[in-house]
């Protein structure tokens, strides 16, 4: 080591690549070690929990090893104690730093821009409230006025826009164009990171979004090499940005009185900017965070205003993407609903999903079963293609009859159709609609038979059963497959009544007859014995 006395100034330890640094406080022993409680915490396995001690005064910096496992070295020589000079290379275990001297400069403070007008700590550079969304960006060429109409004192930061400022304005335009072309949130986040590195001299960019529990969830974090950054964003910084809707800039987050928490200390965050992502109706979506551990570059007022503008554009893009995804999901849900529900009913369900209770409920429903008579014998005389074509035409007409009267197609069972009215959304005239659909089915079947007869195709005959009563309605099935259906005695009775109907007959129960406000002409049939019923069931035949 070279003899001499250090001039009275401030000192810091800087890693050889400039990505990590520690400012050395005066007149107090500073403990270097792996433990988070150390004054200079360095997380590396070659460093002991309490590795070494540094003492700084006006004349010198002294170093003392604290019995570390892997030793302390100065310019490659292992030492127990030493007096340091500027540019000395100090290694704690295998982690090296160089001693640098600097003349401290006072932090730029803007009390008028801080809520309440009071400074929060000696390292505050700026704190910009975003509650007024009309905040001008002075450093990017906007009028020389601070938020709330406070005139800014002329300074180099408020000079006419420089070439760099013009470049940032042009970048913001490109950001707006690029983000609006992204189709999903993940693509938008990747573009946000890429644009941030194009414009700002940062070591890391991260975006955190609020989940349904208002917890900040990391969505993307990249370092300047494009790799995933494992370090967590200091929560004390991010939560303050969200809760107070302020953009924060600090030139030394470790010493900043506004921020607490081990992550700030352990990561040795130096200059950092955190801006909330604010969407429509002043809703905070998350935060955009950039930082650098290097002391060779610290963010300035212009960087803060650019990040705020950048975050505003990003928030709009993210929110638009969420809206688009919601519309896509609703469209998909509605298209699925329309496979089973009448179009007008599908629209009501899609716009009010709370109408469907996933757990199910008991509801009053009208249930219809229709079945082709003698279908098994008929199928034996037809080829598979002929059978498929015939059934497709038949089912198409039957489903149209159900939907035309606002019903729900529950399922196909072989050649049978099951439909119901009343779940998940009921109407006062559900029984009348079900009856109208049954009559419509018979008319449609006659029309089909006339056409098929002219084409030399076989004739089909229907039997229909209708019942009205209480049934369980809900999503039934397994974890792998669920379907919305109705089950219970009301459904079983309608099915068995359909089986008892002759060709061209519509049979209804006494409960169905009572539910009809304007019943068609009916003929009372002898009571029918149905499986599962202890007494014969009163039945009526619709006179057509």
């Amino acid at each position: 080591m070279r003899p001499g006395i250090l001039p009275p100034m401030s000192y810091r330890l800087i890693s050889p690549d400039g990505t990590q640094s520690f400012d050395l406080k005066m007149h107090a022993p500073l403990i270097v070690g792996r433990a988070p409680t150390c004054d200079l915490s360095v997380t590396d396995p070659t460093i002991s929990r309490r590795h070494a001690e540094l003492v700084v005064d006006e004349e010198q910096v002294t170093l003392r090893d604290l019995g570390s496992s892997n030793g302390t070295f100065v310019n490659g020589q292992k030492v127990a104690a030493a007096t340091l000079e500027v540019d000395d290379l100090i290694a704690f275990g295998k982690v090296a730093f160089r001693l640098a001297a600097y003349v401290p400069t006072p932090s730029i403070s803007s009390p008028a821009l801080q809520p309440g007008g009071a400074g929060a700590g000696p390292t505050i550079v700026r704190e910009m409230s975003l509650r007024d969304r009309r905040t001008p960006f002075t450093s990017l060429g906007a009028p020389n006025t601070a938020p709330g109409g406070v005139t800014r004192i002329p300074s180099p930061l408020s000079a006419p826009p420089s070439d760099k400022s013009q470049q940032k304005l042009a970048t913001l335009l490109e950001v707006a164009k690029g983000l609006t072309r992204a189709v999903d949130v993940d693509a938008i986040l990747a573009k946000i990171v890429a644009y941030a590195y194009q414009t700002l001299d940062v070591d890391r960019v991260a975006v955190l979004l609020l989940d349904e529990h208002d917890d900040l969830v990391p969505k993307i974090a990249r370092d300047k090499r494009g790799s995933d950054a494992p370090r967590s964003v200091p929560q004390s910084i991010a939560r303050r940005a969200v809760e107070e809707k302020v953009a924060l800039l600090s030139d030394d987050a470790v010493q900043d009185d506004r921020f607490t928490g081990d992550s700030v200390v352990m990561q040795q965050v130096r200059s950092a900017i955190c801006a909330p992502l604010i969407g429509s109706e002043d809703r905070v979506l998350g935060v955009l965070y950039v930082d650098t551990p290097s002391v060779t570059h610290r963010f300035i007022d212009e960087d803060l205003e650019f990040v705020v503008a950048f975050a505003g554009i990003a928030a709009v893009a993210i929110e638009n993407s969420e809206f688009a995804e919601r519309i896509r999901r609703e469209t998909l849900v509605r298209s699925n609903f329309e496979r089973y529900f009448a179009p007008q009913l599908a629209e009501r369900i899609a716009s009010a999903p709370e109408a469907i209770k996933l757990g199910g409920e008991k509801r009053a429903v009208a249930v219809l079963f229709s079945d082709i008579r003698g279908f098994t014998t008929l199928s034996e005389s037809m080829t598979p293609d002929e059978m498929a074509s015939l059934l497709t035409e038949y089912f198409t007409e039957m489903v149209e009859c159900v939907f035309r009267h606002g019903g729900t197609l529950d399922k196909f069972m072989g050649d049978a159709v099951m439909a119901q009215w009343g779940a998940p959304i009921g109407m006062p005239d559900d029984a009348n609609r079900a009856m109208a659909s049954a009559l419509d089915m018979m008319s449609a079947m006659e029309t089909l038979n006339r056409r098929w007869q002219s084409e030399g195709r076989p004739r089909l005959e229907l039997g229909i059963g209708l019942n009205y009563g209480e049934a369980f309605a809900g999503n039934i099935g397994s974890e792998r497959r669920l379907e919305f259906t109705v089950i219970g005695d009301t459904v079983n009775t309608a099915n068995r009544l359909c089986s008892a109907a002759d060709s061209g007959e519509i049979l209804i129960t006494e409960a169905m007859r009572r539910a009809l406000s304007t019943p068609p002409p009916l003929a009372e049939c002898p009571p029918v014995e149905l499986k599962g019923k202890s007494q014969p069931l009163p039945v009526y035949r619709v006179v057509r």
Side-chain angles (χ1 to χ4, degrees):
M1 291 178 289
R2 301 176 301 277
I5 297 177
L6 294 172
M9 56 178 61
S10 296
Y11 306 95
R12 59 171 57 110
L13 296 178
I14 305 175
S15 63
D17 61 3
T19 61
Q20 194 172 22
S21 67
F22 297 94
D23 288 348
L24 305 182
K25 295 180 181 180
M26 302 280 284
H27 306 300
L30 302 174
I31 304 300
V32 181
R34 193 175 71 250
T37 54
C38 291
D39 302 294
L40 280 65
S41 178
V42 184
T43 54
D44 186 273
T46 65
I47 295 179
S48 301
R49 290 184 61 81
R50 289 173 57 85
H51 195 103
E53 178 188 79
L54 289 165
V55 178
V56 183
D57 58 29
E58 289 82 357
E59 297 183 348
Q60 61 185 10
V61 178
T62 57
L63 170 68
R64 182 169 64 92
D65 185 83
L66 298 179
S68 63
S69 300
N70 295 301
T72 301
F73 302 82
V74 177
N75 297 324
Q77 181 179 351
K78 187 174 183 180
V79 298
T83 300
L84 304 179
E85 293 186 353
V86 174
D87 288 334
D88 276 347
L89 186 65
I90 304 100
F92 306 101
K94 293 184 179 181
V95 181
F97 292 91
R98 190 169 297 278
L99 182 66
Y102 69 98
V103 178
T105 56
S107 298
I108 303 171
S109 180
S110 302
L113 300 179
Q114 302 166 18
T123 59
I124 291 176
V125 173
R126 190 170 178 191
E127 179 175 315
M128 179 189 291
S129 174
L130 300 187
R131 295 184 184 277
D132 183 358
R133 299 303 301 278
R134 297 167 298 177
T135 300
F137 302 106
T138 57
S139 300
L140 300 181
N144 194 29
T145 306
V150 178
T151 302
R152 293 171 54 88
I153 299 173
S155 72
L157 296 179
S158 57
S162 63
D163 291 341
K164 186 176 181 181
S165 297
Q166 294 288 5
Q167 181 183 359
K168 287 186 176 180
L169 287 171
T171 300
L172 285 177
L173 179 59
E174 290 302 315
V175 168
K177 291 179 180 178
L179 293 185
T180 54
R181 287 194 292 264
V183 294
D184 56 49
V185 172
D186 289 339
I188 288 172
L189 297 180
K191 284 181 175 288
I192 289 173
V193 171
Y195 283 126
Y197 280 119
Q198 287 179 18
T199 313
L200 293 168
D201 185 6
V202 298
D203 181 73
R204 178 173 55 150
V205 180
V207 177
L208 293 80
L209 299 182
L210 289 171
D211 63 10
E212 62 273 16
H213 305 296
D214 284 337
D215 293 328
L216 281 168
V217 179
K219 292 296 182 181
I220 189 169
R222 300 278 171 78
D223 60 23
K224 58 186 176 184
R225 292 169 295 278
S227 304
D228 290 337
R231 294 176 297 168
S232 61
V233 172
Q235 286 293 303
S236 56
I237 297 177
R239 290 307 313 182
R240 177 161 182 175
V242 169
E243 292 167 2
E244 299 184 17
K245 295 182 181 178
V246 294
L248 302 167
L249 185 158
S250 179
D251 67 349
D252 192 342
V254 177
Q255 304 297 331
D256 200 321
D257 295 341
R258 295 172 297 176
F259 310 134
T260 60
D262 290 341
S263 59
V264 175
V265 176
M266 293 178 68
Q267 297 179 36
Q268 287 298 309
V269 174
R270 292 298 176 182
S271 200
I273 297 177
C274 188
L277 300 166
I278 301 181
S280 60
E281 300 180 357
D282 212 30
R283 181 172 68 98
V284 179
L285 309 177
V287 296
L288 170 62
Y289 173 87
V290 297
D291 72 16
T292 175
S294 173
V295 297
T296 59
H297 170 73
R298 295 192 177 191
F299 298 128
I300 60 174
D301 215 29
E302 182 180 323
D303 296 325
L304 173 65
E305 294 185 342
F306 177 81
V307 172
V308 169
F310 192 108
I313 296 171
V316 172
I318 291 172
E319 192 170 54
N320 287 344
S321 176
E322 290 176 346
F323 288 155
E325 176 61 19
R326 187 182 310 165
I327 292 171
R328 188 194 68 79
R329 287 198 306 268
E330 289 179 356
T331 301
L332 179 61
V333 168
R334 180 172 172 178
S335 66
N336 286 333
F337 283 153
E338 288 179 349
R339 296 170 57 195
Y340 303 99
F341 302 106
Q344 63 271 27
L345 182 58
E347 183 175 356
R348 289 179 61 191
I349 296 171
S351 60
E354 66 276 5
I356 298 181
K357 295 184 178 180
L358 293 179
E361 59 182 338
K362 288 186 175 181
R363 299 187 66 90
V365 295
V367 182
L368 177 153
F369 279 86
S370 71
D371 193 7
I372 299 175
R373 294 295 170 258
F375 180 75
T376 302
T377 302
L378 179 65
S379 64
E380 293 175 351
S381 63
M382 301 177 68
T383 67
D385 287 345
E386 290 172 337
M387 181 62 61
S389 175
L390 193 74
L391 285 178
T392 297
E393 292 183 49
Y394 162 70
F395 283 136
T396 298
E397 288 297 326
M398 296 303 103
V399 170
E400 283 302 314
C401 293
V402 172
F403 285 174
R404 193 154 42 234
H405 299 282
T408 296
L409 173 65
D410 194 291
K411 61 175 67 71
F412 298 125
M413 298 180 295
D415 60 312
V417 173
M418 174 185 170
Q420 56 89 7
W421 287 254
I425 299 176
M427 301 289 288
D429 59 345
D430 281 333
N432 293 332
R433 290 168 180 265
M435 176 56 70
S437 178
L439 293 169
D440 206 0
M441 282 181 172
M442 286 299 185
S443 297
M445 192 73 260
E446 291 173 0
T447 302
L448 276 176
N449 279 328
R450 284 193 296 270
R451 177 163 62 83
W452 288 343
Q453 188 173 5
S454 67
E455 297 171 354
R457 301 167 74 184
R459 178 183 178 85
L460 300 183
E461 296 292 344
L462 285 184
I464 296 177
L466 288 164
N467 191 21
Y468 186 88
E470 194 174 72
F472 174 87
N475 288 284
I476 307 298
S478 68
E479 293 181 356
R480 293 177 62 87
R481 186 177 187 273
L482 290 173
E483 64 176 13
F484 186 85
T485 188
V486 291
I487 58 175
D489 182 66
T490 298
V491 178
N492 297 337
T493 299
N495 187 21
R496 289 162 185 158
L497 204 59
C498 175
S499 299
D502 288 334
S503 298
E505 275 191 342
I506 300 174
L507 299 182
I508 70 173
T509 62
E510 174 66 24
M512 181 69 186
R513 186 188 69 81
R514 290 196 304 267
L516 293 168
S517 60
T518 53
L522 299 173
E524 187 172 357
C525 301
V528 177
E529 292 187 0
L530 298 178
K531 183 180 180 181
K533 297 291 184 182
S534 59
Q535 298 294 328
L537 190 72
V539 172
Y540 298 86
R541 175 175 55 84
V542 175
V543 178
R544 297 174 56 238

